[in-house]
Amino acid sequence: MRCSRCREQAVINLRAHRLALCEEHFVERFLEVVERAIRRYSLMRRSSRVLVAVSGGKDSLALWDALTELGYRADGLYIDLGIRRQDYSRISREKAERFAEQRGLELRVFSVQEEYGLSMPELRRGSREVCSVCGIVKRHVMNRVALEGGYHVLATGHNLDDEASVLLSNLLRWNTELAARQAPRVEAWHEKLRPKVKPLCLLTEKETATYALVRGIDYVSELECPFSAGATSIALKEALNRIEEHSPGTKLYFYTQFLKHRRIFRSEKPAKRECRSCGFPSAGELCSFCRLLLKSRLRGEKRDN
Ligand code: AMP
Ligand code: ZN
Ligand code: ZN
């Protein structure tokens, strides 16, 4: 297979675009697509101070690398959840730290254990749903660090496979409320929040993995958290890949056409109440994160007595 641009040996065949590319032209195109997403969906400005949430996995490290290559001012944030099973947190933290060190980039490490005195396994005792706990904690920490660090936007490594499978899941259940809120840029609807952006939303997992490989990025390949119950999202991703195999380009079309039409879905305006403990927007008197802290601490005290 030869590169469509220079006839050198190709490293990837992008059937959706009828394009085979060599290393050099693949990287060039990858950066073009990131920039295209940033412009098309007004994700950020050249002057924006960006906080990239990095998990130590391929997507978020590829994103940090690409934003830096494109000349954006991007710092990283690693959230250490204190997951000891399979040494998960320690290994992924090291990948993020080494990446930052090698490239002379600024990484903020936020340890949940050090800040709140509770590890993820302890926090999980405050709730029955393991994965939702992880999401609540990460969201709270990302918002807090973005605000306190004076960043303009918060970027995550969600790729096209992630976005298309979430969209499919929302549509299979006709969850119009969630569909209405799914976007490459989610605006801040409260003064304490910052816009959340997904600059990799037009690139597949295969493309981000190839980019990470070509750019020599060392990442945790076992990205799935050991507590993850991500079976449904994996099944949906596989289903989409099977359709893609049959009709290349469907995944991208499904997602980008949705973005064109998403105004047909409406969402209720979120309540503008504030959590009485942390001050971040909340549906009730306490936000879901502070409720979680409280419950986990109460359980801990009960056990100790
Ligand atoms: P996930 O929910 O694990 O698929 O991750 C989605 C995105 O959230 C990743 O691409 C990262 O941008 C971010 N993220 C996940 N885990 C962490 C973490 N421990 N610290 C910082 N950011 C994270
Ligand atoms: Zn080439
Ligand atoms: Zn709170």
Side-chain angles (χ1 to χ4, degrees):
M1 213 172 33
R2 298 268 149 205
C3 172
S4 315
R5 292 192 184 169
C6 73
R7 313 308 301 162
E8 284 289 317
Q9 181 70 40
V11 288
I12 192 168
N13 184 16
L14 302 170
R15 288 178 64 211
H17 307 279
R18 296 176 189 221
L19 211 55
L21 293 169
C22 70
E23 274 193 12
E24 187 193 330
H25 287 118
F26 170 72
V27 169
E28 191 180 279
R29 180 185 171 277
F30 188 95
L31 296 174
E32 281 166 14
V33 177
V34 174
E35 189 68 53
R36 187 183 310 154
I38 292 174
R39 283 167 196 267
R40 188 186 290 172
Y41 306 118
S42 307
L43 301 188
M44 55 180 90
R45 297 170 198 266
R46 281 259 150 234
S47 56
S48 298
R49 283 195 65 217
V50 188
L51 183 65
V52 185
V54 289
S55 62
K58 62 180 180 338
D59 301 303
S60 47
L61 288 180
L63 171 62
W64 198 8
D65 183 276
L67 289 179
T68 309
E69 280 295 301
L70 288 166
Y72 288 93
R73 288 192 295 163
D75 292 348
L77 163 66
Y78 175 77
I79 303 167
D80 190 336
L81 297 162
I83 298 173
R84 282 181 284 271
R85 203 189 284 182
Q86 296 167 22
D87 246 352
Y88 184 76
S89 290
R90 187 186 61 78
I91 296 170
S92 40
R93 175 178 174 158
E94 274 174 15
K95 301 282 182 195
E97 283 176 338
R98 204 159 308 142
F99 178 91
E101 214 176 275
Q102 283 167 351
R103 286 162 165 80
L105 296 171
E106 173 89 11
L107 176 72
R108 291 164 177 258
V109 174
F110 188 103
S111 161
V112 172
Q113 172 87 57
E114 277 167 33
E115 285 286 328
Y116 303 110
L118 289 164
S119 69
M120 207 54 210
E122 285 164 326
L123 281 167
R124 279 172 47 238
R125 278 185 220 121
S127 168
R128 259 163 281 153
E129 282 195 60
V130 178
C131 282
S132 72
V133 171
C134 217
I136 290 168
V137 174
K138 282 188 213 164
R139 217 171 308 132
H140 183 84
V141 172
M142 285 180 198
N143 286 335
R144 188 179 147 184
V145 177
L147 178 75
E148 290 174 359
Y151 292 94
H152 298 118
V153 288
L154 181 66
T156 54
H158 294 94
N159 59 38
L160 178 60
D161 294 50
D162 297 324
E163 293 304 289
S165 65
V166 168
L167 175 60
L168 182 58
S169 156
N170 290 339
L171 295 188
L172 285 174
R173 288 173 290 138
W174 287 105
N175 193 331
T176 54
E177 180 78 27
L178 281 184
R181 277 187 262 151
Q182 199 189 341
R185 176 177 163 118
V186 176
E187 295 302 334
W189 46 273
H190 184 276
E191 60 182 24
K192 290 208 165 184
L193 302 178
R194 293 291 169 265
K196 292 201 178 76
V197 301
K198 299 165 187 168
L200 298 184
C201 66
L202 301 179
L203 291 150
T204 61
E205 197 176 312
K206 177 179 156 188
E207 287 168 276
T208 60
T210 305
Y211 182 83
L213 196 74
V214 170
R215 295 280 299 160
I217 298 171
D218 183 23
Y219 59 85
V220 260
S221 43
E222 201 40 65
L223 192 86
E224 213 51 53
C225 162
F227 295 115
S228 169
T232 317
S233 82
I234 290 170
L236 292 179
K237 280 182 183 175
E238 282 171 2
L240 282 167
N241 281 337
R242 227 167 294 143
I243 300 171
E244 183 74 16
E245 185 67 29
H246 188 265
S247 324
T250 305
K251 214 188 279 176
L252 187 62
Y253 191 76
F254 177 54
Y255 182 62
T256 52
Q257 288 302 109
F258 158 71
L259 293 179
K260 275 196 188 146
H261 298 295
R262 64 179 267 275
R263 254 170 269 145
I264 60 175
F265 298 110
R266 277 164 201 258
S267 89
E268 302 280 315
K269 280 250 175 303
K272 285 221 169 173
R273 239 172 124 175
E274 277 150 30
C275 169
R276 84 176 140 78
S277 173
C278 71
F280 275 92
S282 163
E285 210 175 319
L286 278 180
C287 72
S288 36
F289 177 74
C290 290
R291 271 205 313 266
L292 199 66
L293 276 187
L294 190 68
K295 268 202 233 162
S296 311
R297 284 187 180 136
L298 286 176
R299 285 192 189 207
E301 276 168 23
K302 245 194 234 157
R303 240 194 5 259
D304 296 341
N305 286 336

